[in-house]
Amino acid sequence: VTFVVSDEEVTPDIQKLRKDYILNYDRAIEFESFNKGRDSENIKVWGKYYCLFDSAVVVPGKYNFDDTTKSFTTHSFAEDLVVISNGDTILKRTITKNNFVNTLPSYLKDYAILFEPKFEGYDSSKDVFDFSFSVSIPMTDVGQLMFLSIRRNGQVLVKEAE
């Protein structure tokens, strides 16, 4: 088998990427994870990531690869989280960019949205549910990986990835 590799750099089709991004407004993403908790506890973590359709984020033209003279209006996103222990709901939270706002630089506070939520697992030593999120400006590579832990009492702890 012979492979031919080109030195030519591949440029993504920005219009196609933007179209795909906009189509995802209507696509909620759900996950479900089963874990062992304290003692013989069975934990189920359920999440739903979705668009808020609020037109709340206006990305300035300087971040638009296809036309730097035009801004791009998009929506905020959220993640609903439910934790069930041995059949009983023990925690319900909705996570938005606002959970991270005190740790973000101003350009991410103003222009970023919540991307790529991921359940990282249950930490039994700290009794917290750990998640990661990308807080990024849509259609760019500008963003920050953030970690979020939720205690059983609903307290949210946020930190920036090292």
Side-chain angles (χ1 to χ4, degrees), residues 98-137:
N98 290 337
N99 290 98
F100 303 98
V101 78
N102 292 332
T103 58
L104 296 173
S106 61
Y107 60 93
L108 293 180
K109 286 179 192 177
D110 295 340
Y111 313 127
I113 66 168
L114 213 58
F115 271 120
E116 300 172 356
K118 181 179 179 190
F119 176 55
E120 298 289 346
Y122 170 69
D123 183 339
S124 60
S125 67
K126 296 178 184 172
D127 196 27
V128 295
F129 303 91
D130 293 323
F131 300 85
S132 64
F133 296 86
S134 174
V135 181
S136 304
I137 298 175

